[in-house]
Amino acid sequence: MDVKPFYVAGEWRAGTEGFEVRSPFDGDVVARVGKPGIEDIEDASAAAARARSEIARLPLHVRAEALTHVSKRLGERADEIAASIASEGGKPIKWAKVEAARAVSTFRWAAEECRRETGEIMRFDADAALGSRAGLIRRVPLGPVLGITPFNFPVNLVAHKLAPAIAVGAPVVIKPATRTPLGALVLAELVAETELPPEMLSVLPIEGAAAGELAKDDRFAKVSFTGSSEVGWSLKAAAPKKTVTLELGGNAGVVIHDDADLDHAAERVAFGGFYQAGQSCIAVQRVFVQRDVAAAFTEKLQRAVGELVVGDPMDEATDVGPLIDSGALDRVSAWVDEAVAAGAELIAGGKRRDPLYEPTVLARTTETMKVRCEEIFGPVVTLVEYDAFEDALAAVNSSRYGLQAGVFTSDVERVFEAWRTLEVGGVIVNDVSAFRGDQMPYGGSKDSGEGREGLRWAMEGMTETRILVLSDVPL
């Protein structure tokens, strides 16, 4: 098998070593990828630093046209990219196609936001002491960006680092997960087709420890990280002077009140808890159901979960694919077994069928059980009954995480109460926490991170305000 090269500032390199990318489902080798060495990492970092001024001066139309080109080419290669996502990460092909389509939109939104950049004018003559002055305000890139992405969305989460960096004119080095590096390398191919300077992008499939050292490099002004809470906060602590965006973990809560459409709620929870085998930071994990409708909802959810197809991710009928590796299987299985041994009731699933784990629903859990208080990152949902709506909101907040939450109710006053009260980055009404529109502000509170993605907000996070004050202007 040929070695797939990595990308360093416009140059494809094979390196002196390589590593295998294997399917989580059957263990087959999907690709052999070149492993960057110390010199490759240095060359990528130096190129980004060297070209920062040139790239910052690129006209908006050049950046926007490049983003539009990538969006178009992603659409043309969508089937190929979806197959790659499914084979390297084990995501069911139906959901891999959704991810590929979302990446098309992510680059399109970035192009549109890029063209909207207009700046603003400030008048100072509102204060007599300041004279007749005007300020021209613009945003300028902070400098080179280091983007670190996880395995679970190997194309679209890379897009959420790469597209805004191109839009603002900041060179970017992408460190994809070594389990799923192929999506980032495809994006490098598409960027290489544009008129952007070669130093605009490097893609380095390196190990986490090497990425941690790279994050400390003073040549990077911005670090954008998506991954585990423990790693994210350690990166921030190691680089306290940098601007850092952290998109971290969660154990997302969903509230189902007695005035909700229970059929719809059950269908959406069955989707939101299991479509990615639970391997999403906004996957449904804690479901709080009003006591009067708990039995009816549980029955409907049990039926919906039972209809999910678990198996080969390349099969169009599959809803739930494998976990990423045996370590993830060990963790999920151990936490479920531990909860059941401590008194939790198994409503559905609870069986390990390597490399799969059956979609699992647990009732009668306690706040201290790992399946409820930690991020399981697997196909497990817990059910908890409550009496008053306020109790449910408090229960959602009783977590160190706060990424997104879902609320099912037909009462608009409860909707606004949830929006005001829930300590999360986003409240999704009459749908589950797993919803994300790529143009919306996205990020968490508490241990779930800081900063926001979503194209406009990511662009703001990669830039800073600069003002030009004109004196003695006849206003």
Side-chain angles (χ1 to χ4, degrees):
M1 180 178 289
D2 293 336
V3 173
K4 189 171 184 61
F6 52 89
Y7 192 68
V8 177
E11 181 183 353
W12 292 99
R13 300 183 181 182
T16 58
E17 299 181 50
F19 63 93
E20 292 177 340
V21 178
R22 291 183 175 269
S23 163
F25 180 68
D26 56 22
D28 286 353
V29 177
V30 176
R32 185 168 176 80
V33 178
K35 182 179 180 180
I38 294 175
E39 290 185 1
D40 302 309
I41 297 171
E42 171 57 28
D43 288 349
S45 305
R50 181 176 63 248
R52 61 178 295 178
S53 296
E54 174 193 357
I55 291 172
R57 291 188 175 95
L58 288 174
L60 291 180
H61 74 86
V62 173
R63 303 180 215 162
E65 288 162 7
L67 290 163
T68 300
H69 174 85
V70 174
S71 177
K72 178 183 177 183
R73 293 286 287 129
L74 278 168
E76 292 170 350
R77 296 178 61 178
D79 289 343
E80 169 201 345
I81 290 167
S84 175
I85 293 169
S87 60
E88 70 172 335
K91 181 178 295 188
I93 189 68
K94 66 169 65 173
W95 306 128
K97 290 179 179 180
V98 172
E99 179 179 348
R102 287 180 60 188
V104 173
S105 296
T106 298
F107 278 93
R108 186 189 73 244
W109 280 111
E112 293 176 7
E113 290 294 343
C114 180
R115 292 186 186 277
R116 290 191 186 105
E117 176 58 43
T118 57
E120 62 179 292
I121 298 175
M122 172 182 288
R123 292 179 59 153
F124 287 87
D125 60 335
D127 189 331
L130 298 180
S132 185
R133 303 175 194 268
L136 305 183
I137 302 170
R138 65 183 297 184
R139 298 193 69 86
V140 297
L142 294 168
V145 175
L146 173 63
I148 303 175
T149 58
F151 73 84
N152 54 337
F153 287 85
V155 174
N156 200 39
L157 288 184
V158 175
H160 274 284
K161 317 295 184 190
L162 174 57
I166 293 173
V168 303
V172 58
V173 173
I174 297 291
K175 184 275 181 212
T178 52
R179 290 191 185 98
T180 57
L182 304 182
L185 294 173
V186 169
L187 289 174
E189 292 176 18
L190 303 186
V191 170
E193 296 173 356
T194 72
E195 299 300 317
L196 294 170
E199 298 89 351
M200 180 76 241
L201 173 64
S202 294
V203 176
L204 303 176
I206 55 179
E207 298 294 337
E213 290 301 311
L214 198 56
K216 300 175 188 177
D217 192 321
D218 290 339
R219 288 173 292 188
F220 291 98
K222 167 82 179 186
V223 177
S224 181
F225 173 86
T226 301
S228 74
S229 296
E230 291 72 18
V231 174
W233 292 115
S234 69
L235 285 176
K236 181 175 174 60
K241 293 185 179 180
K242 292 184 187 296
T243 301
V244 177
T245 295
L246 300 176
E247 302 296 342
L248 308 177
N251 57 356
V254 170
V255 175
I256 300 170
H257 204 57
D258 59 8
D259 59 348
D261 180 335
L262 298 185
D263 289 314
H264 174 63
E267 176 188 344
R268 294 306 292 165
V269 168
F271 161 78
F274 305 114
Y275 82 106
Q276 183 92 5
Q279 297 173 123
S280 169
C281 50
I282 49 176
V284 177
Q285 186 171 334
R286 300 176 298 147
V287 179
F288 301 94
V289 189
Q290 207 281 330
R291 195 175 307 279
D292 293 343
V293 297
F297 174 79
T298 301
E299 181 181 348
K300 294 174 185 295
L301 178 62
Q302 189 176 28
R303 183 165 56 249
V305 171
E307 293 173 354
L308 296 173
V309 177
V310 183
D312 184 349
M314 302 308 294
D315 187 335
E316 291 280 357
T318 296
D319 299 301
V320 183
L323 290 172
I324 190 64
D325 57 26
S326 60
L329 271 166
D330 290 343
R331 183 191 66 253
V332 171
S333 181
W335 286 14
V336 171
D337 291 347
E338 181 182 287
V340 171
E345 178 186 358
L346 197 59
I347 302 296
K351 294 180 181 179
R352 175 174 177 166
R353 296 191 282 119
D354 293 27
L356 307 163
Y357 196 86
E358 292 185 354
T360 298
V361 180
L362 294 168
R364 298 181 183 174
T365 59
T366 66
E367 288 186 351
T368 58
M369 289 180 179
K370 292 176 184 175
V371 293
R372 191 161 139 196
C373 68
E374 299 295 337
E375 180 184 33
I376 195 165
F377 217 65
V380 179
V381 165
T382 63
L383 297 181
V384 183
E385 297 181 13
Y386 71 88
D387 292 308
F389 188 70
E390 294 73 19
D391 296 337
L393 301 184
V396 173
N397 285 342
S398 64
S399 169
R400 65 188 181 98
Y401 299 111
L403 191 45
Q404 290 197 158
V407 177
F408 287 83
T409 179
S410 58
D411 187 322
V412 69
E413 291 188 9
R414 290 195 184 99
V415 167
F416 277 83
E417 178 65 17
W419 189 25
R420 179 175 62 185
T421 303
L422 291 177
E423 298 166 351
V424 296
V427 178
I428 315 300
V429 178
N430 290 325
D431 207 344
V432 289
S433 55
F435 172 81
R436 179 182 180 182
D438 292 293
Q439 70 272 40
M440 77 185 203
Y442 174 78
S445 304
K446 300 189 281 189
D447 275 5
S448 288
E450 67 177 26
R452 294 292 182 268
E453 288 193 337
L455 282 309
R456 176 157 65 94
W457 288 268
M459 290 165 65
E460 288 179 0
M462 294 179 180
T463 57
E464 61 186 357
T465 300
R466 182 179 295 169
I467 186 169
L468 174 70
V469 178
L470 304 176
S471 303
D472 300 321
V473 175
L475 295 172

